[in-house]
Amino acid sequence: MNNEVQNNMVVSLDYTVRLEDGQSIDSSIGKTPLRYLHGHQNIIPGLEEALTGMRVGENHPHIIVPPEKAYGARTEATEWLPRDIFPADGEIQPGMTFAVEDESGETYPLFIKEVKTDNVLVDYNHPLAGKTLSFEVTVVDVRPATPEELAHGHVHNGDGQF
Ligand code: ZN
């Protein structure tokens, strides 16, 4: 089916994501729909799974995604790091995110929790780790990915790249 969400299709999606208490934390409504390449881990696994087989125009009001299929369980992953490993010129504040590269070249996010003169408390958990998320989605458009997009594993036009 050409209007169905399947692997290697570029999907345009209107979405609102809420916490369990109903609080909306992000939405594409009033903005550009999210575009991603289906089947390439561009989005969280639980959402990708639920979208598979949905058709253009179809709405799903409550896709419930548990932490293990979203941003993972929350772990005791905090650490004080010396202030001087961070850029000297920029200001560092709680709530900020940095991308860190490990030895294998893999990047992961690091969240600032607390800042003191010489030390910074960082949290390696994603802010949504441990949270069950509820998505409302409407499939806006589906098209086959280009060979270049498939080779890169992400969408190339529209919103830019993920
Ligand atoms: Zn690319």
Side-chain angles (χ1 to χ4, degrees):
M1 290 298 294
N2 238 8
N3 67 344
E4 194 178 285
V5 176
Q6 292 297 348
N7 287 348
N8 303 330
M9 301 293 270
V10 171
V11 180
S12 300
L13 195 69
D14 265 330
Y15 71 95
T16 299
V17 55
R18 299 182 179 89
L19 298 176
E20 275 179 301
D21 64 6
Q23 184 200 344
S24 166
I25 48 173
D26 192 18
S27 179
S28 70
I29 305 302
K31 300 186 244 170
T32 318
L34 170 72
R35 291 222 246 180
Y36 76 95
L37 179 58
H38 195 80
H40 291 256
Q41 289 98 45
N42 289 176
I43 60 173
I44 59 170
L47 184 58
E48 192 160 57
E49 245 171 61
L51 284 163
T52 302
M54 284 182 69
R55 289 163 192 278
V56 173
E58 202 176 330
N59 169 272
H60 195 311
H62 300 291
I63 296 172
I64 307 297
V65 181
E68 58 272 21
K69 290 189 171 183
Y71 294 97
R74 182 158 280 277
T75 59
E76 284 304 314
T78 58
E79 186 181 7
W80 285 98
L81 296 176
R83 170 67 179 83
D84 57 18
I85 69 161
F86 292 93
D89 45 349
E91 213 184 322
I92 299 181
Q93 289 179 340
M96 288 175 76
T97 307
F98 286 84
V100 186
E101 199 172 305
D102 68 13
E103 306 81 45
S104 63
E106 189 118 350
T107 56
Y108 57 95
L110 178 155
F111 302 94
I112 307 299
K113 290 194 77 164
E114 205 179 320
V115 180
K116 294 193 173 165
T117 313
D118 296 323
N119 293 293
V120 177
L121 183 63
V122 299
D123 189 342
Y124 297 102
N125 286 295
H126 189 281
L128 293 175
K131 311 258 193 219
T132 294
L133 305 177
S134 172
F135 286 84
E136 175 170 3
V137 298
T138 303
V139 178
V140 177
D141 188 48
V142 173
R143 66 158 169 86
T146 64
E148 198 190 35
E149 287 173 326
L150 290 178
H152 286 212
H154 54 232
V155 175
H156 266 183
N157 51 4
D159 293 318
Q161 308 185 358
F162 303 107

